[in-house]
Coordinates of all heavy atoms in Angstrom, one line a residue:
N12 N 207.2 112.2 167.7 CA 205.7 112.2 167.6 C 205.1 111.2 166.7 O 205.7 111.1 165.6 CB 205.3 113.7 167.4 CG 205.6 114.6 168.5 OD1 205.5 114.2 169.7 ND2 206.0 115.8 168.2
A13 N 204.1 110.7 167.0 CA 203.4 109.7 166.1 C 201.9 109.8 166.4 O 201.5 110.4 167.4 CB 204.0 108.3 166.3
I14 N 201.1 109.2 165.5 CA 199.7 109.1 165.8 C 199.3 107.4 165.6 O 199.9 106.8 165.0 CB 198.9 109.9 164.8 CG1 199.1 109.5 163.3 CG2 199.0 111.4 165.0 CD1 198.2 110.2 162.4
I15 N 198.2 107.2 166.4 CA 197.7 105.7 166.3 C 197.0 105.7 165.0 O 196.1 106.4 164.7 CB 196.9 105.5 167.5 CG1 197.8 105.5 168.8 CG2 196.2 104.1 167.5 CD1 198.9 104.5 168.9
M16 N 197.1 104.5 164.4 CA 196.5 104.3 163.0 C 195.1 103.6 163.1 O 194.4 103.6 162.1 CB 197.4 103.6 162.1 CG 198.7 104.4 161.9 SD 198.4 106.0 161.3 CE 197.7 105.8 159.7
R17 N 194.7 103.1 164.2 CA 193.4 102.4 164.3 C 193.0 102.4 165.7 O 193.7 102.5 166.5 CB 193.4 101.0 163.6 CG 194.3 100.0 164.2 CD 194.2 98.7 163.5 NE 195.0 97.6 164.1 CZ 194.5 96.7 165.0 NH1 193.2 96.7 165.3 NH2 195.3 95.8 165.6
S18 N 191.6 102.1 165.9 CA 191.1 102.3 167.3 C 191.3 100.9 168.1 O 191.6 99.9 167.6 CB 189.6 102.4 167.2 OG 189.4 103.8 166.7
N19 N 191.2 101.0 169.4 CA 191.3 100.1 170.5 C 192.7 99.4 170.5 O 192.7 98.1 170.6 CB 190.2 99.0 170.2 CG 188.7 99.6 170.5 OD1 188.6 100.5 171.5 ND2 187.8 99.3 169.6
I20 N 193.7 100.1 170.3 CA 195.0 99.5 170.4 C 195.5 99.4 171.9 O 195.5 100.4 172.6 CB 196.1 100.4 169.7 CG1 195.7 100.6 168.2 CG2 197.5 99.8 169.8 CD1 195.4 99.3 167.4
P21 N 195.8 98.2 172.3 CA 196.1 98.0 173.8 C 197.5 98.6 174.1 O 198.5 98.2 173.3 CB 196.1 96.6 174.0 CG 196.2 95.9 172.6 CD 195.7 96.9 171.6
M22 N 197.7 99.3 175.1 CA 199.0 99.8 175.6 C 199.3 98.9 176.9 O 198.5 98.7 177.7 CB 199.1 101.2 176.0 CG 200.3 101.7 176.4 SD 200.4 103.5 176.4 CE 199.6 103.9 177.9
M34 N 195.8 100.7 179.1 CA 194.7 101.5 178.5 C 194.5 101.1 177.0 O 195.4 100.4 176.6 CB 194.9 102.9 178.8 CG 196.1 103.5 177.9 SD 196.5 105.2 178.3 CE 195.1 106.0 177.5
K35 N 193.5 101.5 176.4 CA 193.3 101.4 175.0 C 193.5 102.8 174.3 O 193.1 103.8 174.8 CB 191.9 101.0 174.6 CG 191.5 99.7 175.2 CD 192.0 98.5 174.4 CE 191.4 97.2 174.9 NZ 192.0 96.2 174.1
L36 N 194.2 102.7 173.2 CA 194.5 103.9 172.4 C 193.6 104.0 171.3 O 193.1 102.9 170.7 CB 196.0 104.0 171.9 CG 196.9 103.8 173.0 CD1 198.4 103.8 172.4 CD2 196.9 104.9 174.1
F37 N 193.2 105.2 170.7 CA 192.3 105.3 169.7 C 192.9 105.9 168.5 O 193.9 106.6 168.5 CB 191.1 106.1 170.2 CG 191.3 107.5 170.7 CD1 191.4 108.5 169.8 CD2 191.6 107.7 172.0 CE1 191.8 109.8 170.3 CE2 192.0 108.9 172.5 CZ 192.0 110.0 171.6
K38 N 192.2 105.7 167.3 CA 192.7 106.2 166.1 C 192.8 107.8 166.0 O 191.9 108.3 166.4 CB 191.7 105.8 165.0 CG 192.2 106.1 163.6 CD 191.2 105.6 162.5 CE 191.9 105.9 161.0 NZ 191.0 105.4 160.0
G39 N 194.0 108.2 165.6 CA 194.3 109.7 165.6 C 194.8 110.1 166.8 O 195.2 111.3 166.9
Q40 N 194.9 109.3 167.9 CA 195.6 109.8 169.2 C 197.0 110.0 168.9 O 197.7 109.3 168.4 CB 195.3 108.7 170.3 CG 195.8 109.1 171.6 CD 195.4 108.2 172.7 OE1 194.7 107.3 172.5 NE2 195.8 108.4 173.8
K41 N 197.5 111.1 169.5 CA 198.9 111.5 169.4 C 199.7 110.8 170.5 O 199.1 110.7 171.7 CB 199.1 113.1 169.5 CG 198.5 113.7 168.3 CD 198.9 115.2 168.5 CE 198.2 115.9 167.4 NZ 198.4 117.4 167.5
I42 N 200.8 110.3 170.3 CA 201.7 109.8 171.2 C 203.1 110.1 170.9 O 203.4 110.8 170.0 CB 201.6 108.2 171.1 CG1 202.1 107.7 169.7 CG2 200.4 107.5 171.5 CD1 202.3 106.2 169.5
R43 N 204.0 109.9 171.9 CA 205.4 110.2 171.7 C 206.2 108.9 171.9 O 206.1 108.2 172.8 CB 205.8 111.3 172.8 CG 207.3 111.7 172.7 CD 207.6 112.9 173.6 NE 207.1 114.0 173.0 CZ 207.8 114.9 172.2 NH1 209.0 114.7 171.9 NH2 207.3 116.1 171.7
I44 N 207.1 108.7 170.9 CA 207.9 107.5 171.0 C 209.0 107.8 171.9 O 209.8 108.7 171.6 CB 208.4 107.0 169.6 CG1 207.1 106.7 168.6 CG2 209.2 105.8 169.6 CD1 207.5 106.7 167.2
I53 N 207.3 99.1 170.7 CA 207.8 100.4 171.1 C 207.3 100.9 172.5 O 206.2 100.6 172.8 CB 207.6 101.4 170.0 CG1 206.2 101.8 169.8 CG2 208.2 101.0 168.5 CD1 205.9 102.9 168.9
V55 N 206.0 104.0 174.4 CA 205.3 105.4 174.1 C 204.9 106.1 175.3 O 204.7 105.4 176.4 CB 204.2 105.2 173.1 CG1 204.6 104.5 171.8 CG2 203.0 104.3 173.7
R56 N 204.7 107.4 175.1 CA 204.0 108.2 176.3 C 202.7 108.9 175.5 O 202.9 109.4 174.5 CB 205.0 109.2 176.7 CG 204.4 110.1 177.8 CD 205.4 111.0 178.4 NE 206.5 110.5 178.9 CZ 207.8 110.6 178.5 NH1 208.0 111.6 177.7 NH2 208.9 110.1 179.1
T57 N 201.7 108.9 176.3 CA 200.5 109.6 175.8 C 200.5 111.0 176.1 O 201.5 111.4 177.0 CB 199.2 108.9 176.4 OG1 199.2 109.1 177.8 CG2 199.1 107.4 176.0
E58 N 199.6 111.8 175.7 CA 199.5 113.1 176.0 C 199.2 113.5 177.5 O 199.7 114.5 178.1 CB 198.6 113.9 175.1 CG 199.0 114.0 173.7 CD 198.1 114.8 172.8 OE1 196.9 114.6 172.9 OE2 198.5 115.7 172.1
G63 N 203.8 103.1 178.3 CA 203.6 101.7 178.1 C 204.1 101.3 176.7 O 204.7 102.1 176.0
F64 N 203.8 100.0 176.4 CA 204.3 99.5 175.1 C 203.1 99.1 174.1 O 202.1 98.8 174.6 CB 205.1 98.2 175.3 CG 206.4 98.4 176.1 CD1 206.3 98.5 177.4 CD2 207.5 98.6 175.4 CE1 207.6 98.7 178.1 CE2 208.7 99.0 176.1 CZ 208.7 98.9 177.5
I65 N 203.3 99.5 172.8 CA 202.4 99.0 171.9 C 203.2 98.3 170.8 O 204.4 98.5 170.6 CB 201.6 100.3 171.1 CG1 202.6 101.2 170.5 CG2 200.8 101.0 172.3 CD1 201.9 102.3 169.6
E66 N 202.4 97.6 169.9 CA 203.2 96.9 168.9 C 203.6 97.9 167.7 O 202.9 99.0 167.6 CB 202.2 95.8 168.3 CG 201.7 94.7 169.1 CD 201.0 93.7 168.3 OE1 201.5 92.9 167.6 OE2 199.8 93.6 168.8
S67 N 204.6 97.6 167.3 CA 205.3 98.6 166.3 C 204.5 98.9 165.1 O 204.8 99.9 164.4 CB 206.7 98.2 166.1 OG 206.8 97.0 165.4
K68 N 203.6 98.0 164.6 CA 202.8 98.3 163.5 C 201.7 99.3 163.6 O 200.9 99.5 162.6 CB 202.3 96.9 163.0 CG 201.4 96.2 163.8 CD 201.0 94.9 163.3 CE 199.9 94.3 164.4 NZ 199.7 93.0 164.0
E69 N 201.4 99.6 164.8 CA 200.1 100.4 165.2 C 200.2 101.9 165.1 O 199.3 102.6 165.4 CB 199.7 99.9 166.5 CG 199.3 98.5 166.6 CD 198.3 97.8 165.7 OE1 197.7 98.7 165.0 OE2 198.1 96.7 165.8
Y70 N 201.3 102.5 164.6 CA 201.5 103.8 164.6 C 202.1 104.4 163.3 O 202.7 103.6 162.6 CB 202.3 104.4 165.8 CG 203.8 104.0 165.6 CD1 204.7 104.9 165.0 CD2 204.3 102.7 165.9 CE1 206.0 104.7 164.9 CE2 205.6 102.4 165.8 CZ 206.5 103.3 165.3 OH 207.8 103.1 165.0
K71 N 202.0 105.7 163.1 CA 202.8 106.2 162.1 C 203.5 107.6 162.6 O 202.9 108.4 163.3 CB 201.8 106.7 161.0 CG 202.5 107.4 159.8 CD 201.6 107.6 158.6 CE 202.4 108.2 157.5 NZ 201.5 108.2 156.2
R72 N 204.8 107.7 162.3 CA 205.5 108.9 162.8 C 205.0 110.2 162.0 O 204.7 110.1 160.8 CB 207.0 108.8 162.6 CG 207.7 107.6 163.3 CD 209.2 107.5 163.1 NE 209.6 106.3 163.6 CZ 210.3 106.1 164.7 NH1 210.4 107.2 165.5 NH2 210.7 104.9 165.2
I73 N 204.9 111.3 162.7 CA 204.5 112.5 162.1 C 205.6 113.6 162.3 O 206.5 113.4 163.1 CB 203.2 112.9 162.7 CG1 203.1 113.1 164.2 CG2 202.1 112.0 162.2 CD1 201.9 113.7 164.8

Side-chain angles (χ1 to χ4, degrees):
N12 293 315
I14 57 170
I15 298 297
M16 298 307 293
R17 62 184 184 92
S18 292
N19 294 318
I20 302 304
M22 187 165 76
M34 65 183 293
K35 297 282 188 179
L36 304 178
F37 55 88
K38 184 176 183 175
Q40 183 172 354
K41 292 180 183 177
I42 56 171
R43 185 168 280 268
I44 299 166
I53 61 166
V55 300
R56 180 180 300 128
T57 63
E58 289 183 308
F64 294 88
I65 63 168
E66 292 186 74
S67 59
K68 64 183 178 183
E69 303 295 357
Y70 72 95
K71 182 174 182 174
R72 293 179 196 267
I73 54 174

